[in-house]
Structure formats: structure tokens, C-alpha cells
């Protein structure tokens, strides 16, 4: 029996021999970091690939979130989602701002625009939604609220590399969007990330902030951080960009396979493609209705592990239940019924570009047979 270890994700690794010429170039240049040739090239190629105007590379996907809040000079309270990776809320904390949690939509797990206005106070200055699993938020409804209340919108688009709404990059909505290129993400530079903004002035400001605030050799204009991407990882990103379309096509095929094989399983829900959206198929979450399925999510999660299949409970626990945030009024479970339910129902199944069809079948058989 084929019982190899399956994890939720496996990194997109380009052929090693193709990486060597990039390294040779870096060695020839003797330029390892600080806006080198690879860095400049990757910014240009990503802007083109993603269909955005201004992009700045970062050393990971957390620092662009922190820097976005700093660059937009956000104060007071920031409305955000508990159904995300902790970095989303941590970025608010690092700016000494107050996160305010609002519940999510049951269909997507994205921040629910219908619930935002009730959480707005005179201290609210920004919204920080997340395109969970790469499914776009209701960007029009969110922008309407932001315009009405004069709020900035920062999208955590860590999952949304390459996602489009009616042909338009999802990164072009809101004031700033951020990406993560961590090894577990659909497109990776090992560690890495980026920030997308919509004016040359803002990009300039961001580029100063990610380089200690240096605006010139002898001038520091703000207390910036060091969040520069180095040449080796930029080169890795350039090479991986050649493979990303193929990787996303494979993920789509795997998603369709899962969907067709799981459609008759009682008590197991999964997400469908959204109208007009170009998806990246970055995750394949299932939501287990324990009563109808006959087993709890955690029982299924443990059962999968006995078959050497390691799913991930993204997102469980909710950010709002972690120690730094659990005492907030907005963190109360009564305030977040939908997110709380999704968090106890969800398992993200293995999905990555070179996941074999027989491995998908193996996962599905365990879910179907329940033993
Ligand atoms: C991965 C991720 C981040 C953080 O990215 P890093 O590159 O790991 O710092 C932020 N938000 C979300 C939603 C993520 O999934």
C-alpha cells in the first residue's frame, strides 16, 4: 500500500540546475542585497505578472502588514478578522493600535461587510480584511463602508497571489495589499513578501520604511525597519515565476478532483469557484458538520494522521482566542459565532503542484470510509 507522508503543502521548488546560473550571476555581481539586479528585476516582473503598478519586495509577509499601517499613519482602532493567521492581528499590535474583531461570512470565511459598521467608533481609522484561501472579499461593499466613514483599507492578500476579479488583480483594491511568499504559499521565495500600493509617492515612502527609513545616504526620514529582500531569494523568485502558471493549473486540477470525489459525502462542505474570479487554488478547506458526517472534525483530523495524512486546521484556534487578544470585548465568542463555527469545522487537505492523483484518492478514501 502506498502510505507515504502527505502534508498540507509542499514547496514549489524549481529545478536545481536552473538555479545555478542565477547564483553565478550574483557571484559575478558581488551584490548580495540592497536593491540589486535580481531585486529590481523581480519587482518589474511581478508587477507585470500580477497586473499591478507599484510593488515593493519584503523579507517576509508580516513586515509589509506592519509597514502598511505605519505608512498610512493609522491611529486608534483597526477593524479586522479573527479568522486568519496570527500575523494579521500582530501587525496591528506592533503599531500600538487596537485590533477590533468582526465576524466573517459563513460562505467564504472573509470579513463580513454587513457587520463592519456596528463595530465602527470615533477611533476607527482602518479596516484590515483578509482574502481567506485566496477567495476575494466583497471588495465593493468594503470600499463603500470605507468611503462613507473615511477609513483606509489594507488587505492581507497573503493567500491571493495571482487572484483576479473580472480580470482585475485583487491587489488593486483598497489602499494597500500585502503578499506572503513563505515556503508554504502558492508562490514562494523561501521567505519573502511584498506590498502593493497605488502611487509612486507611496511606493517611495514604503521603500524608505523597509530600509531603516533611509531616504538618502545621510538622511533618515522615519523610524523604518530592515525588511529588504536579498538577491538570492529574489533570484529564487524570478525562477519560480516561470513555474507558477503550471503550478496553479495543477492545483486547479487537484481541486476539481477533490470536488468531484467529495461531492456525495454527507456532512462535508467545500468551497466552489466564485463568479468572475480567477482563482489560485491555494488551499482546499473542507468543513465537517459532525452531526451529518458522524464524526467530529478533530476525530477526522486524527484519523487522517493515522494514515500519514497531515491536514491543517486553518484557522483554528481563532486569533481572538490567543492570549494577547482574548480579553478584548470584540474577542468574545458571542461576537464571533460564524468564525467560531468555521474554526471548529475546518480542515485544509493536502494540496500542492506535484500532489499525485493517487494521493488525492487516498485522502478521499479515508474521508469516505471513516476508518
Ligand atoms: C502566511 C501569512 C502571513 C504571514 O506571512 P509570512 O511570510 O509567514 O510572514 C500573513 N497573513 C496570512 C493570512 C498568512 O497566511
Amino acid at each position: 500500500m502506498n502510505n507515504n507522508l502527505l502534508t498540507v503543502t509542499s514547496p514549489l521548488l524549481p529545478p536545481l540546475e536552473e538555479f545555478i546560473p542565477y547564483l553565478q550571476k550574483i557571484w559575478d555581481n558581488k551584490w548580495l542585497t540592497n536593491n540589486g539586479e535580481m531585486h529590481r528585476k523581480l519587482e518589474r516582473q511581478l508587477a507585470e505578472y500580477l497586473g499591478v503598478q507599484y510593488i515593493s519586495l519584503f523579507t517576509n509577509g508580516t513586515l509589509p502588514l506592519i509597514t502598511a499601517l505605519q505608512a498610512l499613519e493609522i491611529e486608534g482602532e483597526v477593524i479586522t478578522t479573527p479568522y486568519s493567521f496570527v500575523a494579521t492581528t500582530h501587525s496591528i499590535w506592533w503599531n500600538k493600535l487596537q485590533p477590533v474583531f468582526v465576524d466573517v461570512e459563513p460562505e467564504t470565511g472573509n470579513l463580513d461587510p454587513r457587520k463592519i459598521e456596528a463595530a465602527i467608533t470615533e477611533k476607527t481609522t482602518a479596516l484590515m480584511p483578509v482574502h481567506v484561501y485566496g477567495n476575494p472579499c466583497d471588495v465593493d461593499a468594503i470600499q463603500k463602508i470605507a468611503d462613507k466613514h473615511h477609513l483606509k483599507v489594507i488587505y492581507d492578500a497573503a493567500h491571493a497571489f495571482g487572484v483576479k476579479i473580472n480580470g482585475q488583480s485583487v491587489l488593486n483594491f483598497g489602499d494597500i495589499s500585502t503578499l506572503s511568499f513563505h515556503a508554504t504559499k502558492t508562490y514562494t521565495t523561501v521567505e519573502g513578501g511584498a506590498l502593493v500600493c497605488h502611487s509612486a509617492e507611496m511606493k517611495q515612502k514604503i521603500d524608505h520604511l523597509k530600509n531603516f527609513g533611509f531616504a538618502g545616504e545621510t538622511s533618515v526620514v522615519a523610524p523604518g525597519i530592515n525588511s529588504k529582500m536579498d538577491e538570492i531569494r529574489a533570484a529564487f523568485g524570478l525562477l519560480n515565476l516561470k513555474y507558477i502558471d503550471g503550478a496553479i493549473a495543477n492545483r486547479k486540477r487537484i481541486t476539481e478532483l477533490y470536488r468531484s470525489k467529495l461531492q456525495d459525502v454527507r456532512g462535508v462542505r467545500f468551497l466552489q469557484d466564485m463568479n468572475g474570479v480567477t482563482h489560485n487554488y491555494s488551499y482546499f478547506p473542507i468543513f465537517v458538520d459532525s452531526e451529518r458526517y458522524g464524526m467530529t472534525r478533530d476525530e477526522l483530523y486524527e484519523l487522517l494522521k493515522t494514515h500519514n495524512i497531515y491536514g491543517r486546521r486553518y484557522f483554528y484556534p481563532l486569533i481572538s482566542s490567543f492570549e494577547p487578544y482574548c480579553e478584548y470585548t470584540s474577542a468574545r465568542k458571542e461576537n464571533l459565532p460564524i468564525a467560531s463555527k468555521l474554526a471548529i469545522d475546518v480542515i485544509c487537505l493536502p494540496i500542492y503542484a506535484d500532489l499525485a492523483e493517487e494521493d488525492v484518492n487516498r485522502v478521499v478514501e479515508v474521508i469516505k470510509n471513516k476508518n
Side-chain angles (χ1 to χ4, degrees):
M1 196 181 100
N2 170 11
N3 199 25
N4 59 320
L5 175 72
L6 292 184
T7 50
V8 70
T9 186
S10 170
L12 181 62
L13 275 175
L16 182 56
E17 67 277 10
E18 289 184 26
F19 194 40
I20 306 299
Y22 287 82
L23 293 176
Q24 187 64 57
K25 183 87 191 151
I26 294 169
W27 260 244
D28 292 347
N29 287 348
K30 293 191 191 293
W31 189 298
L32 297 182
T33 188
N34 286 20
N35 201 26
E37 178 183 339
M38 300 293 171
H39 184 286
R40 292 194 305 271
K41 241 188 189 166
L42 185 57
E43 281 196 349
R44 275 200 306 276
Q45 289 192 18
L46 278 175
E48 187 178 342
Y49 178 85
L50 295 167
V52 303
Q53 212 170 354
Y54 300 102
I55 188 165
S56 297
L57 295 176
F58 277 72
T59 195
N60 59 47
T62 301
L63 284 160
L65 284 166
I66 293 175
T67 303
L69 290 161
Q70 188 186 7
L72 294 170
E73 297 167 27
I74 302 302
E75 295 176 348
E77 297 176 1
V78 179
I79 290 175
T80 190
T81 169
Y83 195 70
S84 181
F85 182 62
V86 282
T88 313
T89 307
H90 282 352
S91 71
I92 298 168
W93 187 95
W94 275 97
N95 280 276
K96 298 282 173 264
L97 304 166
Q98 180 82 11
V100 174
F101 297 107
V102 163
D103 208 5
V104 300
E105 302 170 333
E107 302 79 19
T108 60
N110 289 335
L111 190 64
D112 191 338
R114 292 163 300 191
K115 296 184 179 158
I116 291 174
E117 283 197 288
I120 294 175
T121 71
E122 69 279 4
K123 291 189 189 146
T124 311
T125 57
L127 308 175
M128 187 178 270
V130 180
H131 302 298
V132 180
Y133 311 128
N135 290 317
C137 293
D138 188 341
V139 289
D140 293 335
I142 288 171
Q143 195 57 53
K144 234 181 231 163
I145 296 165
D147 290 343
K148 182 171 158 196
H149 298 273
H150 311 290
L151 309 175
K152 300 289 187 193
V153 183
I154 298 155
Y155 283 109
D156 179 342
H159 297 181
F161 186 89
V163 172
K164 295 192 160 108
I165 306 175
N166 297 320
Q168 167 79 249
S169 171
V170 75
L171 306 170
N172 287 329
F173 296 90
D175 294 279
I176 284 177
S177 294
T178 66
L179 291 163
S180 166
F181 305 150
H182 185 256
T184 55
K185 304 299 205 270
T186 300
Y187 168 79
T188 180
T189 61
V190 187
E191 293 267 3
L195 184 156
V196 170
C197 62
H198 311 307
S199 75
E201 299 73 45
M202 183 55 73
K203 177 170 164 56
Q204 177 80 268
K205 188 170 183 181
I206 301 289
D207 287 346
H208 293 161
L209 287 174
K210 75 170 196 189
N211 186 28
F212 311 96
F214 274 109
E217 223 176 304
T218 54
S219 145
V220 170
V221 292
I225 195 102
N226 177 7
S227 186
K228 304 183 298 291
M229 181 183 281
D230 62 78
E231 288 291 279
I232 296 181
R233 288 189 283 155
F236 192 91
L238 279 169
L239 182 52
N240 254 354
L241 206 48
K242 298 185 179 177
Y243 290 92
I244 187 65
D245 282 338
I248 292 173
N250 285 350
R251 286 171 169 275
K252 179 170 201 265
R253 203 171 38 75
I254 292 160
T255 298
E256 284 165 357
L257 205 57
Y258 269 132
R259 283 177 182 160
S260 74
K261 290 176 182 289
L262 289 172
Q263 63 181 346
D264 302 326
V265 182
R266 239 176 84 91
V268 170
R269 175 174 80 90
F270 48 82
L271 303 176
Q272 299 292 348
D273 285 0
M274 294 163 75
N275 270 341
V277 172
T278 308
H279 290 275
N280 65 5
Y281 306 96
S282 50
Y283 295 86
F284 192 83
I286 59 168
F287 300 91
V288 181
D289 176 341
S290 52
E291 260 163 47
R292 294 185 65 233
Y293 180 64
M295 194 182 258
T296 66
R297 183 277 309 269
D298 285 337
E299 284 165 346
L300 176 57
Y301 174 73
E302 294 300 332
L303 175 66
L304 285 163
K305 282 209 272 192
T306 68
H307 289 267
N308 238 357
I309 300 164
Y310 285 73
R312 286 298 288 269
R313 289 167 290 185
Y314 288 146
F315 291 105
Y316 166 84
L318 293 179
I319 303 175
S320 48
S321 63
F322 288 129
E323 220 166 282
Y325 311 115
C326 65
E327 302 293 330
Y328 295 167
T329 313
S330 68
R332 290 187 190 146
K333 214 173 156 187
E334 315 85 81
N335 187 47
L336 308 166
I338 308 292
S340 304
K341 176 84 173 102
L342 294 178
I344 60 164
D345 288 352
V346 71
I347 307 179
C348 286
L349 300 181
I351 185 167
Y352 42 89
D354 55 357
L355 182 65
E357 186 168 334
E358 61 182 33
D359 286 329
V360 173
N361 291 337
R362 216 177 100 207
V363 175
V364 170
E365 285 310 303
V366 177
I367 296 171
K368 279 189 169 165
N369 298 336
K370 303 186 187 121
N371 66 41

